[in-house]
Amino acid sequence: MATDWLQVRAGQRAYQHIKEQGLSAADIQLLVGASGGPKWFVLQGLDRYLFGEFFADRQQPLDLLGTSAGAWRFAALGQRDPVAASELFCRLYSTQTYSAKPDVQEITDEARKLLAEYIPDSAVGDILQQDRFRHHWIVARCRGMTAIEGKRQLLGLLASAAANRVKRQWLGKFYERVLFHHPASNATFTQQWNDLPTRYAALSEQNFKQALLATGSIPMVLSGVRDIAGAPAGTYRDGGVTDYHFDLDFGGVDGLVLYPHFHQEVIPGWFDKSIKSRRTTGQHWPNVILLTPTAEFIEALPYKKIPDRTDFAKLDAEQRIQYWQQAVEQGKWMAEQLHEWIATDRIREKVQLWT
């Protein structure tokens, strides 16, 4: 029996739809991408298939929601050649190297260099002038001590983590969710989001790169981005702080939600990693289709794990780059299976109810 490298789980509504009708690009209204740094390398094959084939002939607008690495991945969509852009981002990110002990400034400078090469100014215009792929990025606007740079920021992080542990809603005392959205989108699918203070700002040629850099600006690792054009004044950091893997109300989405994810678990916010009771499931998301690597896929990877940021410290540059590129290549196995299952309609038998 052939090995399944891909697991397809779906909430009740999405599960019923696939069982009865299969799956087509027209069924999807929202594509979701999570934070997670290098973990996304195993998804690059799926991105290549989705960007280059599955959604290639789509005419109606597709909403995109991302934080951090998810937002950066999706910035390939709307460019003239999204597959080439995705592969460029993957190559630039996977081959990054730093000094033996890089500081915040060095890491921030490297991120800015990567962004400039991945998304030239002409690409920003292309993305904003089309409306088939409508970007929505979440960025965390800091309050109080979380806005401070340097070691004192840690006090703000500890206080916000403690508040979040008591009640997730208390995270709003330290961070405000800001949704940067494509100018052609009115972001109506987000109107039910009332778990945290939420503001909106339209993406523009003036703030596109600022907002994208900000949504990947990990606290204590990269500098925050200050005073983004067209948004409230302040310091902005990684959108994963508030929305790591998401626990948002998708009831306002008119259609199904496709979520290629690197992890079997869906963790709401950055500070929820160790709080096992906080996990999002298909019971919360009846219209979501979750695509994840199987245990067999992970077992077949070098080191029997998906890439993560600790690889920078644990492996030398040559070992790390080789490992990450192997993860990218192996990720194509999942893409090939998804393509085959959709084309042959086997997706109906492969989908599992996500409870």
Side-chain angles (χ1 to χ4, degrees):
M1 182 179 294
T3 302
D4 282 354
W5 307 115
L6 177 69
Q7 183 177 36
V8 183
R9 289 179 286 168
Q12 182 63 55
R13 178 182 153 202
Y15 175 81
Q16 200 64 38
H17 177 97
I18 294 173
K19 279 292 188 182
E20 294 175 358
Q21 302 178 44
L23 184 65
S24 71
D27 299 329
I28 309 301
Q29 184 56 43
L30 177 65
L31 181 66
V32 177
S35 303
K39 298 181 180 74
W40 83 275
F41 288 135
V42 296
L43 302 178
Q44 205 274 332
L46 284 171
D47 285 355
R48 180 186 173 91
Y49 164 63
L50 294 173
F51 298 178
E53 294 185 51
F54 189 66
F55 291 123
D57 298 324
R58 184 186 178 95
Q59 296 305 311
Q60 69 267 42
L62 176 68
D63 289 324
L64 315 169
L65 176 66
T67 56
S68 198
W72 282 67
R73 287 164 52 205
F74 291 168
L77 285 165
Q79 296 197 44
R80 295 183 184 182
D81 187 339
V83 171
S86 176
E87 291 181 339
L88 173 62
F89 175 46
C90 184
R91 177 177 61 79
L92 293 173
Y93 192 174
S94 65
T95 57
Q96 274 190 314
T97 56
Y98 301 97
S99 63
K101 293 184 178 180
D103 59 13
V104 168
Q105 190 60 55
E106 180 182 349
I107 296 171
T108 302
D109 288 345
E110 287 299 319
R112 290 182 181 277
K113 290 177 189 176
L114 191 158
L115 178 59
E117 188 168 353
Y118 173 36
I119 305 181
D121 291 342
S122 59
V124 174
D126 290 339
I127 292 167
L128 296 179
Q129 288 161 21
Q130 59 82 47
D131 65 356
R132 279 203 308 147
F133 301 106
R134 301 188 299 198
H135 293 272
H136 303 81
W137 304 333
I138 292 173
V139 184
R141 179 172 175 261
C142 299
R143 292 176 164 180
M145 294 192 72
T146 62
I148 299 171
E149 299 294 349
K151 293 181 179 179
R152 287 198 301 154
Q153 184 192 152
L154 183 59
L155 297 175
L157 290 174
L158 292 172
S160 52
N164 178 79
R165 181 166 288 276
V166 176
K167 184 181 291 187
R168 177 165 154 76
Q169 286 76 4
W170 286 6
L171 191 62
K173 299 177 185 293
F174 298 88
Y175 298 97
E176 183 177 64
R177 176 191 292 131
V178 180
L179 185 84
F180 287 86
H181 60 87
H182 191 282
S185 172
N186 55 17
T188 54
F189 71 92
T190 72
Q191 290 177 354
Q192 300 174 71
W193 297 358
N194 55 15
D195 57 324
L196 295 173
T198 303
R199 294 208 206 187
Y200 298 82
L203 287 166
S204 67
E205 294 199 17
Q206 290 70 42
N207 68 20
F208 189 94
K209 292 186 182 181
Q210 284 182 302
L212 190 55
L213 182 65
T215 193
S217 294
I218 305 166
M220 305 294 294
V221 178
L222 282 83
S223 300
V225 178
R226 286 196 57 79
D227 301 335
I228 298 177
T235 298
Y236 291 80
R237 302 196 193 277
D238 198 308
V241 173
T242 56
D243 298 279
Y244 189 54
H245 298 165
F246 308 103
D247 189 30
L248 298 167
D249 186 343
F250 290 146
V253 177
D254 183 19
L256 301 182
V257 179
L258 187 63
Y259 188 177
H261 192 35
F262 44 75
H263 204 298
Q264 290 289 318
E265 293 185 317
V266 178
I267 303 167
W270 200 46
F271 297 113
D272 295 322
K273 297 177 189 179
S274 63
I275 307 175
K276 294 299 184 181
S277 60
R278 292 189 191 167
R279 296 294 183 265
T280 309
T281 70
Q283 291 179 320
H284 298 115
W285 284 349
N287 58 344
V288 174
I289 304 163
L290 188 73
L291 308 177
T292 57
T294 61
E296 290 80 6
F297 177 94
I298 295 172
E299 185 70 17
L301 282 167
Y303 311 108
K304 302 185 187 301
K305 72 173 192 68
I306 61 174
D308 59 58
R309 286 196 301 115
T310 67
D311 298 330
F312 280 107
K314 294 178 179 178
L315 303 172
D316 65 38
E318 184 177 354
Q319 289 174 315
R320 173 178 55 80
I321 292 169
Q322 183 180 26
Y323 162 38
W324 284 4
Q325 290 175 341
Q326 284 178 276
V328 171
E329 286 301 310
Q330 188 171 314
K332 295 176 182 178
W333 301 351
M334 291 192 292
E336 290 166 0
Q337 284 200 323
L338 181 62
H339 180 237
E340 191 239 328
W341 292 349
I342 291 174
T344 62
D345 225 17
R346 289 186 68 204
I347 191 77
R348 298 191 193 210
E349 66 184 68
K350 292 296 183 179
V351 66
Q352 302 169 33
L353 182 62
W354 184 24
T355 57

